[in-house]
């Protein structure tokens, strides 16, 4: 079975931007870029994929979901950086982060992998499309992201790897074992609990463990809907307060699900055609000399990604 490695680009970049204290020869932070490349090298070494796709949010990517809920992703606190270097202003930090991100995509352009983004589309939606599209139906898919939204995509061919100190590798069976909720119903469970990272309010007092206990049918390999959840809550509301809380928040649950679910694609037919064209006409090849020139120019010539270039090139040829 061929293997597709799918990288949630911004998720991996931000994680390294926050954690890596590396500076270039001019003393400027460069850890987001270098950390991303090292992490990519690690994931390619481990997964040995036949193809690598990095997904980015396009311009205005969050707008559609924000139109459904104006609070979506609003008020996110800036992460605390793991470094002694201090920026002179928030604007300077923002410029540094953006410059690293742009430069990173330029490096990736010279590697035999594919970068995907669409205007007004989030990376989550592109990743979900890749998992469900016919072009990769018989491939094993490995998603690299800390975002729990992707748990709902786990199936017999799709695995979610959540990097970090306590790394999680989740497949369909592992999700059931850990959460007692089937991936195909996971979006409903999260719609009930909400998502603080995206500023989506849930039903107060209900976490995933409580949802799994009170709505045990969500563990079944069967698609359930809002009507099933509300009927179950109504039939038991006189006994347990949690059920009444769910009934009182039906509108919030429905709205959250509409924003969180990745089962049904919201990408336009035009957008789908662009994605199909991109994956069907991938002519990107390795340009070692250009990458080495860029490393020297950016003052990070010590970054060793020879293994990454070798692995990607050999897989590309295969």
């Amino acid at each position: 079975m061929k293997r597709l490695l799918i990288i949630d680009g911004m998720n991996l970049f931000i994680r390294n931007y926050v954690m890596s204290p590396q500076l270039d020869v001019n003393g400027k932070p460069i850890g987001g870029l270098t950390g991303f490349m090292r992490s990519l090298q690690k994931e390619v070494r481990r997964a040995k994929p036949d193809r690598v796709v990095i997904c980015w949010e396009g311009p205005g990517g969050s707008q559609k979901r924000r139109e459904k809920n104006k609070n979506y992703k609003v008020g996110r606190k800036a992460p605390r950086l793991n470094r002694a270097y201090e920026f002179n202003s928030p604007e300077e930090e923002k410029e540094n982060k953006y410059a690293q991100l742009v430069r990173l995509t330029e490096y990736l352009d010279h590697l035999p992998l594919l970068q995907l983004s669409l205007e007004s589309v989030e990376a989550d939606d592109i990743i979900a499309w890749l998992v469900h599209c016919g072009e990769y139906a018989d491939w094993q898919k490995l998603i690299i992201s800390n975002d729990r939204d992707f748990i709902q995509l786990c199936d017999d061919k799709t695995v979610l790897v959540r990097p970090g100190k306590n790394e999680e590798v989740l497949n369909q069976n592992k999700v059931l074992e850990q959460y007692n909720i089937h991936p195909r119903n996971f979006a409903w469970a999260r719609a009930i609990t909400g998502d603080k990272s995206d500023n989506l309010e849930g039903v107060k007092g209900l976490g995933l463990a409580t949802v799994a206990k009170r709505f045990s049918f969500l563990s079944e390999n069967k698609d359930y809907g809002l009507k099933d959840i509300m009927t179950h809550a109504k039939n038991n509301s006189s006994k347990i307060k949690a059920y009444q809380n769910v009934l009182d928040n039906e509108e919030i649950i429905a709205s959250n699900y509409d924003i969180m679910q990745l089962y049904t694609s919201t990408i336009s037919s035009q957008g789908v055609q662009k994605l199909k064209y991109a994956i069907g006409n991938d002519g990107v090849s390795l340009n070692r000399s250009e990458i080495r020139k860029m490393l020297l120019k950016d003052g990070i010539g010590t970054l060793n990604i020879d293994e990454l270039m070798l692995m990607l090139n050999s897989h590309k040829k295969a």
Side-chain angles (χ1 to χ4, degrees):
M1 186 182 295
K2 287 190 174 182
R3 182 172 295 164
L4 177 68
L5 183 63
I6 305 172
I7 307 289
D8 181 356
M10 186 59 76
N11 188 278
L12 188 61
F13 172 77
I14 291 298
R15 181 172 181 273
N16 282 287
Y17 178 81
V18 170
M19 296 302 297
S20 176
Q22 184 170 352
L23 305 177
D24 64 18
V25 291
N26 297 313
K28 297 290 185 180
I30 197 70
L33 190 162
T34 58
F36 186 103
M37 297 296 275
R38 290 192 182 97
S39 294
L40 177 60
Q41 182 165 258
K42 173 186 173 183
E43 298 302 340
V44 170
R45 180 193 305 126
R46 180 165 58 174
K48 297 179 174 62
D50 296 280
R51 196 171 202 191
V52 178
V53 180
I54 300 177
C55 301
W56 302 100
E57 179 170 329
S62 299
Q63 187 59 37
K64 289 181 181 178
R65 286 182 168 90
R66 194 161 288 137
E67 287 172 358
K68 297 175 181 179
N69 186 328
K70 64 181 181 180
N71 297 316
Y72 179 65
K73 289 188 177 181
V74 171
R76 282 185 168 182
K77 293 182 179 180
R80 184 177 179 181
L81 305 181
N82 179 33
R83 67 194 64 150
Y85 184 95
E86 291 186 8
F87 292 96
N88 293 321
S89 66
E91 289 73 24
E92 184 185 359
E93 181 187 345
K94 186 177 180 179
E95 288 176 7
N96 174 265
K97 184 193 297 182
Y98 181 74
Q100 286 193 56
L101 186 57
V102 170
R103 192 59 166 163
L104 170 62
T105 61
E106 292 172 352
Y107 275 94
L108 297 174
D109 277 340
H110 294 293
L111 289 171
L113 49 75
L114 185 62
Q115 298 187 80
L116 293 178
S117 68
L118 287 172
E119 187 174 351
S120 303
V121 176
E122 290 194 52
D124 296 32
D125 299 302
I126 296 176
I127 291 171
W129 181 85
L130 287 168
V131 168
H132 294 136
C133 73
E135 285 79 356
Y136 297 119
D138 296 325
W139 291 44
Q140 182 185 46
K141 278 80 70 172
L142 272 68
I143 304 170
I144 309 299
S145 178
N146 281 307
D147 193 338
R148 289 205 294 183
D149 285 339
F150 298 123
I151 292 176
Q152 62 185 284
L153 299 179
C154 292
D155 56 29
D156 58 347
K157 291 189 180 75
T158 306
V159 175
L160 172 62
V161 179
R162 302 183 70 219
K165 184 178 180 181
N166 300 311
E167 182 178 80
E168 282 188 303
V169 180
L170 298 171
N171 58 19
Q172 182 172 280
N173 292 334
K174 190 69 176 180
V175 172
L176 274 167
E177 177 187 321
Q178 184 166 325
Y179 295 101
N180 291 316
I181 301 167
H182 197 281
R184 65 194 299 175
N185 293 306
F186 208 84
W188 279 118
R190 296 203 70 216
I192 294 171
T193 62
D195 185 352
K196 289 183 179 179
S197 66
D198 284 340
N199 199 30
L200 295 176
E201 180 185 354
V203 180
K204 291 183 179 179
L206 269 73
L208 288 175
T210 303
V211 170
K213 180 180 179 180
R214 301 303 180 193
F215 299 90
S216 58
F217 56 87
L218 294 179
S219 66
E220 299 173 16
N221 187 13
K222 177 182 175 182
D223 292 324
Y224 285 97
L226 183 61
K227 183 178 179 181
D228 301 304
I229 293 170
M230 291 300 146
T231 298
H232 182 76
K234 185 176 181 180
N235 292 338
N236 294 277
S237 60
S238 62
K239 305 173 185 177
I240 299 170
K241 186 179 179 181
Y243 290 121
Q244 186 58 53
N245 290 344
V246 167
L247 291 171
D248 292 341
N249 288 277
E250 179 176 0
E251 188 175 332
I252 288 176
I253 295 170
S255 174
N256 284 350
Y257 180 80
D258 191 30
I259 290 172
M260 292 177 168
Q261 73 85 22
L262 297 173
Y263 307 117
T264 303
S265 179
T266 58
I267 300 176
S268 69
S269 57
Q270 184 181 17
V272 168
Q273 289 305 311
K274 289 181 179 179
L275 293 175
K276 285 179 176 288
Y277 180 84
I279 65 177
N281 297 274
D282 176 14
V284 179
S285 58
L286 175 64
N287 191 335
R288 283 190 180 89
S289 60
E290 187 60 31
I291 289 177
R292 291 191 172 113
K293 287 179 185 176
M294 292 169 69
L295 290 171
L296 290 173
K297 182 178 180 180
D298 295 340
I300 48 176
T302 56
L303 176 63
N304 187 352
I305 55 170
D306 288 347
E307 184 186 5
L308 173 64
M309 291 190 285
L310 179 64
M311 289 186 295
L312 285 175
N313 204 39
S314 62
H315 295 153
K316 180 80 174 179
K317 290 177 179 178

